Each structure stands twice: as C-alpha cells, then as structure tokens.
C-alpha cells in the first residue's frame, strides 16, 4: 500500500523539460501543418485533425517567455527571431497559398512578443511609453499567424513567471477573448476545435524550469525546422496534387 502511494506521488511530482516541450511542439506542428493543407478543413476529419496542433503556439510562447529570463543577450535573441521570421515568410505564404504582403508566420508574432516583454521589463522605459510600445507590437503582429494573441501570451507568461496559476488564468482568458470567441463568431462552431489550446495546460504545468541537456542542434534545430518543413510539405503537395 505504501509503495503504491509513493509511486502515485512520484508520478505527480515528475516534471517535463523545455527540451521535451520543444520536441512535442515540433511534432505537433508538423502534423498540424500537414493536415491543414492535405485535408479539407470543412470536413469532420479536417476539423478534428487540427485539435492536437493547437498546443504548439502556447508552448512556443511559453518557451519564448522563459527564454527571456535565461538568455544572456536578449537583443541577440530578438535579432535571431526576426531573422528567422524573414527566412520563414515565403515558405509560409507559399505553402498556405496566402498573399505575401498580407500574412506571415508565427515567428514574427514570437519576435514581437519577446520585444513586448523586453519593453515591459525594462527599467529604462517610462510606463507612459511602455503601454503604447506594447500596443504597437500588437498592431505589428496582426498580419502574422496567431497575431497579437501570441504577443499577449508571451507578455503575461513573463509578467506572471513563478505563479503558474496566474499564468494559466491569463492564458485561458486571452485565448478565449481574443482568439476562440472571435473565431467562432467569424467562422462558425467548427472553430471550437481551437479549444485544443487548453490541452497545453497540463504540459505547461508539468514544466518546472528544467531546461534539459544543452544542445546546439536543438537550439538551432527549431528555427531551421520551421521554414524547412514548410518547404518540404509544399514540394510534397505539388508533387501529389
């Protein structure tokens, strides 16, 4: 009996590293992007197939906020995101068949979210300038995937860092008010599949700050993987259809 109780407690106390979160996000993102184009999105299969992929943006935003506190050079971090946002732009719009001047990838939203968090945490910027600068970041993110929702998630994950309850409450409220409710109102009840973002909550709760084994391959792998997998999926789609 004692052994069973101990094992149950041990399971509850297990955590998940940031490396594991990245692997989960990469896998979920690949299949989400695959299903987004290869399956009809007005079919039941298409609608349900997108649910698991909703965890990707919350995980990415959370890790960006965490990265702000771990990085030794936030300017270099921002620069890296901006560069890969530029690199990912055309693979993104080509694969999703979007006008190149009207849309761009989530990497741009992540970069702006990091900038917004940097502005908020800065001691050199007056509060009277912080609010308009953060709002400006939100405006710049509008054309991007996950737009200002990602910016606000990163910002509040950073503001409430160390308080998982407040982090998750702000995450849910932002997701509901600025993403799920508008999506359902604009596109119908099928967009309730966006509630899949809530699946990310237990994963984020299990993260206790452990980074996992340092790996340059993993550090750069995500940035390289994002545009690369879009290019490969685009080629595959053109070859099959």
């Amino acid at each position: 009996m004692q052994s069973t109780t101990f094992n149950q407690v041990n399971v509850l106390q297990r955590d998940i590293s940031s490396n594991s979160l990245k692997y989960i996000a990469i896998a979920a993102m690949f299949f989400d992007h695959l299903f987004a184009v290869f399956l009809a999105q007005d079919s039941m299969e298409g609608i349900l197939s997108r649910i698991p992929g909703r965890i990707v943006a919350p995980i990415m935003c959370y890790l960006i906020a965490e990265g702000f506190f771990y990085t030794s050079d936030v300017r270099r971090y921002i620069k890296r995101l901006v560069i890969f946002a530029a690199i990912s732009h055309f693979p993104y719009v080509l694969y999703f068949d979007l006008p190149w001047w009207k849309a761009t990838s989530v990497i741009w939203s992540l970069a702006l979210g990091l900038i917004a968090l940097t502005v908020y945490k800065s001691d050199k910027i007056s509060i009277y300038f912080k609010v308009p600068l953060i709002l400006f970041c939100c405006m710049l993110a509008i054309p991007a995937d996950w737009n200002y929702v990602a910016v606000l998630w990163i910002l509040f994950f950073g503001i409430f860092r160390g308080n998982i309850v407040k982090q998750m409450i702000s995450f849910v409220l932002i997701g509901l008010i600025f993403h799920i409710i508008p999506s359902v109102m604009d596109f119908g009840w099928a967009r309730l599949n966006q509630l899949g973002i809530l699946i990310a909550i237990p994963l984020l709760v299990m993260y206790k700050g452990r980074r996992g084994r340092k790996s340059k391959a993993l550090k750069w792998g995500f940035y390289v993987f994002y545009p690369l997998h879009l290019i490969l999926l685009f080629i595959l789609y053109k070859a099959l259809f």
Side-chain angles (χ1 to χ4, degrees), residues 22-43:
K22 288 178 183 177
Y23 288 129
I24 292 170
I26 287 172
M29 178 174 61
F30 177 83
F31 286 105
D32 183 62
H33 289 168
L34 174 70
F35 297 145
V37 173
F38 283 71
L39 293 178
Q41 293 304 293
D42 57 354
S43 67

Side-chain angles (χ1 to χ4, degrees), residues 44-148:
M44 185 59 67
E45 294 83 0
I47 293 169
L48 296 178
S49 70
R50 304 301 303 283
I51 294 175
R54 301 306 86 203
I55 69 171
V56 179
I59 290 175
M60 291 165 65
C61 290
Y62 198 90
L63 292 178
I64 291 292
E66 281 292 290
F68 170 82
F69 295 96
Y70 283 114
T71 187
S72 58
D73 191 337
V74 70
R75 290 185 179 181
R76 184 181 297 177
Y77 192 11
I78 293 171
K79 181 180 178 180
R80 183 163 66 242
L81 282 170
V82 170
I83 289 172
F84 276 93
I87 293 172
S88 301
H89 175 71
F90 282 104
Y92 177 81
V93 296
L94 281 172
Y95 179 62
F96 289 105
D97 194 24
L98 299 168
W100 68 268
W101 65 93
K102 287 186 177 181
T104 195
S105 76
V106 70
I107 308 298
W108 179 236
S109 298
L110 299 180
L112 289 168
L114 180 58
I115 292 171
L117 180 56
T118 303
V119 167
Y120 178 83
K121 288 292 185 179
S122 176
D123 296 327
K124 300 178 180 179
I125 303 176
S126 166
I127 185 64
Y128 299 105
F129 289 102
K130 286 183 178 181
V131 173
L133 285 173
I134 290 171
L135 289 175
F136 186 57
C137 287
C138 290
M139 291 176 59
L140 289 176
I142 289 175
D145 191 19
W146 288 97
N147 50 66
Y148 53 83

Side-chain angles (χ1 to χ4, degrees), residues 144-214:
D145 191 19
W146 288 97
N147 50 66
Y148 53 83
V149 174
V151 175
L152 293 176
W153 275 344
I154 292 171
L155 178 64
F156 281 89
F157 282 150
I159 290 174
F160 294 129
R161 185 173 187 261
N163 190 325
I164 191 64
V165 174
K166 289 184 178 180
Q167 282 182 323
M168 293 305 103
I169 290 174
S170 62
F171 162 67
V172 172
L173 289 177
I174 292 167
L176 285 174
I177 296 170
F178 296 109
H179 180 61
I180 295 173
I181 293 175
S183 294
V184 171
M185 291 178 66
D186 290 340
F187 302 104
W189 292 105
R191 294 306 293 270
L192 281 175
N193 63 359
Q194 300 302 307
L195 285 169
I197 64 172
L198 302 179
I199 302 173
I201 292 177
L203 295 172
L204 298 179
V205 169
M206 288 176 67
Y207 173 73
K208 309 295 184 184
R210 183 165 61 90
R211 300 177 65 184
R213 183 171 59 87
K214 288 186 177 181

Side-chain angles (χ1 to χ4, degrees), residues 220-241:
W220 291 97
F222 176 80
Y223 297 108
V224 175
F225 177 82
Y226 188 86
L228 181 60
H229 90 284
L230 291 174
I231 293 171
L232 293 176
L233 287 174
F234 176 74
I235 294 172
L236 179 62
Y237 181 80
K238 290 299 182 181
L240 295 177
F241 301 94

